[in-house]
Amino acid sequence: MQAYQVTAFDAAPELIEIACPAPAAGQIAVRIEACGLNFADLLMQKGTYQDTPTLPFVPGLEVSGTVTALGETVTEFKIGDRVAVFCGQGGLAEEGVFDASRAVRIPDSMSFEHAAALQIAYGTSLVALDHCARLQPGETLLVTGAAGGVGLTAVEIGKLMGARVIAHARGADKLEVARAAGADHVIDDSEDLRSIVKDLGGADVVYDAVGGPVWKAAFRATNPCGRLLPIGFASGEVPQIPANHLLVKNLTVIGFYIGGYMKARPEVIQQAFATLFDWHAAGRIKPHISHVLPLSQVAEGMELLRSRASTGKVVITP
């Protein structure tokens, strides 16, 4: 089978032929129909991600496809089932073997592309905003990087939860995407984020996918007793948080990483996925996919993420 493999952190990954894997006990084999790209895939290729696998490895954190074989002890799936898998690695290939505990059936009404695009971005936003930050109806939610893979879902879910949503993104086209997802107010990256948010009454919850100066401006625009979620650092700069300011304004900074929750609190993630599948079936959410590319164009897909040229998700279809 073909797979997009990382063999060295200082070399470009290659599309190569490797043997098709066979499932061990507790695993399922999946013919991969779609794989969602994530910023973490870029970090893995550089060896800087917190969960970078040992070399060589195939990146690709979330997939959907059809079960083709079952390992011993697997009883919850059958051959032919349509599944989504939050796999953590191995998704950028024609086939994969994954722990059955990481897979869920997807409804017939859901496309493979939507199933691959939904897991990490929507799962991150739902658990972060609901379970962690306890976003309440009527509160003001500020989302930075609001047209990106996770940011756009935060806009959509924040609006579903009854919040007033302020979206921050770069350029008129991206701001229009955020507005279409439900943003009540939009702020261009060239504008003064802090002063505009303050003029709008401040933020009760901040969902920041950018870091760097954007985090600093959002931090200063947060209302007393507000909650801040550092979700990602697309700017390349990890913010340093002044504890004395947390004290004076009674602020709470909440770390959230979906991969860590999958290990420590898998039931929270599984419940979130169940909710998201129900919302999708009811037409309440619809993943925004700006690019669908074949496996031969993974490098182009990664560059779309690196340059922040995409909106929503980039999906690879092996």
Side-chain angles (χ1 to χ4, degrees), residues 87-274:
C87 51
Q89 62 171 298
L92 289 172
E94 292 178 319
E95 297 186 37
V97 164
F98 310 111
D99 290 345
S101 61
R102 286 179 166 264
V104 293
R105 285 187 185 83
I106 59 176
D108 292 339
S109 60
M110 183 180 291
S111 70
F112 285 120
E113 290 82 4
H114 277 191
L118 184 146
Q119 298 170 74
I120 291 177
Y122 280 95
T124 293
S125 292
L126 180 57
V127 177
L129 294 176
D130 185 23
H131 180 78
C132 296
R134 305 294 183 187
L135 178 67
Q136 299 299 307
E139 288 190 314
T140 296
L141 167 67
L142 169 62
V143 180
T144 70
V150 292
L152 195 61
T153 64
V155 172
E156 193 174 0
I157 289 175
K159 195 64 181 173
L160 279 175
M161 294 177 66
R164 181 180 67 146
V165 180
I166 304 172
H168 172 268
R170 179 181 297 173
D173 290 345
K174 290 187 176 183
L175 292 176
E176 185 54 40
V177 169
R179 194 188 299 276
D184 298 284
H185 305 277
V186 296
I187 303 173
D188 190 83
D189 187 55
S190 63
E191 299 180 285
D192 187 336
L193 173 64
R194 175 178 177 268
S195 65
I196 294 174
V197 174
K198 293 285 284 184
D199 288 345
L200 290 170
D204 301 305
V205 174
V206 171
Y207 183 104
D208 176 48
V210 179
V214 171
W215 165 272
K216 294 175 185 176
F219 186 93
R220 296 176 68 191
T222 305
N223 291 328
C225 300
R227 292 89 73 201
L228 299 101
L229 295 152
I231 296 297
F233 318 112
S235 68
E237 180 182 337
V238 178
Q240 303 303 302
I241 300 167
N244 58 323
H245 291 188
L246 298 180
L247 182 152
V248 171
K249 292 181 70 176
N250 292 297
L251 300 177
T252 302
V253 177
I254 307 168
F256 175 72
Y257 162 51
I258 192 170
Y261 253 72
M262 193 67 184
K263 296 174 183 176
R265 297 287 304 278
E267 72 281 1
V268 173
I269 303 301
Q270 295 294 345
Q271 181 56 54
F273 285 172

Side-chain angles (χ1 to χ4, degrees), residues 50-91:
Q50 57 262 31
D51 275 347
T52 298
T54 56
L55 294 169
F57 66 90
V58 174
L61 282 73
E62 55 184 339
V63 303
S64 62
T66 305
V67 175
T68 58
L70 306 173
E72 293 182 10
T73 74
V74 175
T75 59
E76 62 268 41
F77 296 104
K78 65 181 185 300
I79 293 174
D81 279 349
R82 302 172 77 250
V83 295
V85 189
F86 180 15
C87 51
Q89 62 171 298

